[in-house]
Amino acid sequence: MHICPDDLGHLSYVLDGEGPPLVLVHAGVADHRMWDAVVPALTERHTVIRYDLRGFGESAPPTGPFSEADDLRRLLDHLGHERVRLVGASWGGRVAVDFALTHPDRVHSLALLAPPWPGYDWSADMVAYDAAETAALDAHDLDAAVEVNLDMWLRGPARGWDDVAPGLADQLRGPVRTSLVNQDIVGKHSQGPGNGDLASISVPTLVGIGKLDVPDFQDIARRYAAEIPDTTLVEFSTAAHLIALDAPAELAAALGPFLAR
């Protein structure tokens, strides 16, 4: 891992491969390691940049107000990359959207994997998930809160644990714990998602959704595909919310020709 200087908030990042720069932004229950199984296929043609958002993985939590999109801009400045291909998963997808809206000249193409929609009217199942996580954290039962998140984001509502690849829960448990420990301080200081016009995004865009994901996110994916002009919607039949974990080969196959554009 490399660590950025103090003025970049001690962001940790990893570089792999050679070629045009490609940035992967992780989900809000993960860190840069969620991309491990996808990276080998991508490094054949790209310099792959993975980093941990503030308060995730090995990046320090924030100590004052910050913007995730601005952090990404400063990371790219630090690395000397003017324009990049950008892929974001879940919350990382929303970070990617905000970066594309605020720095359109720095994005060559955009891939969004199950991104959230600010202000979405969540279903009863999502409200129940949030209540279960809150109850576990209020009871100081971090282990229970981790399991609530694994059930929602890794297993998903449409399958049992026997259908989830062995080892994925153990792989994700540590990153989920870190995200929960730091979520209050991150939430306090993050400036949150922006409100730009999605129709202004003019670069080629791929929106990916797992067919085993929460119905809310399947609806949201279609909203993004409808709002962003040059968009291709790709469904992954064996994936829940975290497509890079459930279907890495299929994701790499979908991204390959798209990133070559």
Side-chain angles (χ1 to χ4, degrees), residues 32-42 50 171 244-245 247-249 252:
H32 76 279
R33 292 172 292 180
M34 73 168 288
W35 304 105
D36 282 354
V38 183
V39 166
L42 300 179
R50 294 179 287 161
Q171 177 183 336
L245 295 180

Side-chain angles (χ1 to χ4, degrees), residues 7-257:
D7 62 347
L8 289 178
H10 293 287
L11 292 180
S12 62
Y13 65 93
V14 179
L15 305 176
D16 296 283
E18 294 183 0
L22 164 63
V23 180
L24 307 178
V25 192
H26 64 78
V29 289
D31 58 28
H32 76 279
R33 292 172 292 180
M34 73 168 288
W35 304 105
D36 282 354
V38 183
V39 166
L42 300 179
T43 55
E44 295 175 4
R45 295 185 177 182
H46 299 281
T47 297
V48 178
I49 304 160
R50 294 179 287 161
Y51 72 105
D52 291 334
L53 297 165
R54 294 204 206 197
F56 295 84
E58 297 185 31
S59 289
T63 56
F66 77 103
S67 159
E68 283 90 351
D70 192 52
D71 276 353
L72 177 53
R73 177 191 61 79
R74 292 190 293 162
L75 174 61
L76 296 183
D77 289 346
H78 172 71
L79 296 174
H81 295 304
E82 184 62 31
R83 198 161 183 245
V84 300
R85 291 156 172 83
L86 186 56
V87 179
S90 192
W91 175 243
R94 188 61 216 188
V95 173
V97 168
D98 289 345
F99 186 82
L101 289 171
T102 54
H103 304 287
D105 57 329
R106 303 198 67 168
V107 178
H108 178 276
S109 59
L110 184 66
L112 311 173
L113 309 176
W117 186 279
Y120 188 78
D121 185 14
W122 297 109
S123 68
D125 286 344
M126 283 293 293
V127 172
Y129 147 75
D130 183 66
E133 180 195 270
T134 299
L137 293 175
D138 287 348
H140 306 290
D141 192 343
L142 187 57
D143 288 340
V146 168
E147 297 307 316
V148 167
N149 279 274
L150 291 176
D151 273 338
M152 175 59 73
W153 305 121
L154 181 57
R155 179 177 62 83
R159 61 183 177 179
W161 277 111
D162 288 345
D163 300 315
V164 178
L168 287 185
D170 288 340
Q171 177 183 336
L172 196 59
R173 191 167 277 111
V176 171
R177 178 179 289 269
T178 299
S179 73
L180 290 170
V181 167
N182 291 327
Q183 72 174 4
D184 284 347
I185 191 68
V186 171
K188 174 182 177 181
H189 291 306
S190 172
Q191 295 180 11
N195 295 304
D197 181 9
L198 294 176
S200 70
I201 296 177
S202 59
V203 298
T205 300
L206 181 150
V207 174
I209 187 66
K211 295 196 75 171
L212 305 178
D213 199 357
V214 181
D216 301 58
F217 278 91
Q218 298 192 42
D219 175 58
I220 288 170
R222 287 168 176 77
R223 289 194 184 193
Y224 277 106
E227 292 288 336
I228 300 174
D230 183 9
T231 297
T232 300
L233 178 66
V234 180
E235 295 181 323
F236 296 86
S237 62
T238 62
H241 191 67
L242 301 173
I243 299 168
L245 295 180
D246 280 331
E250 294 86 346
L251 177 57
L255 288 175

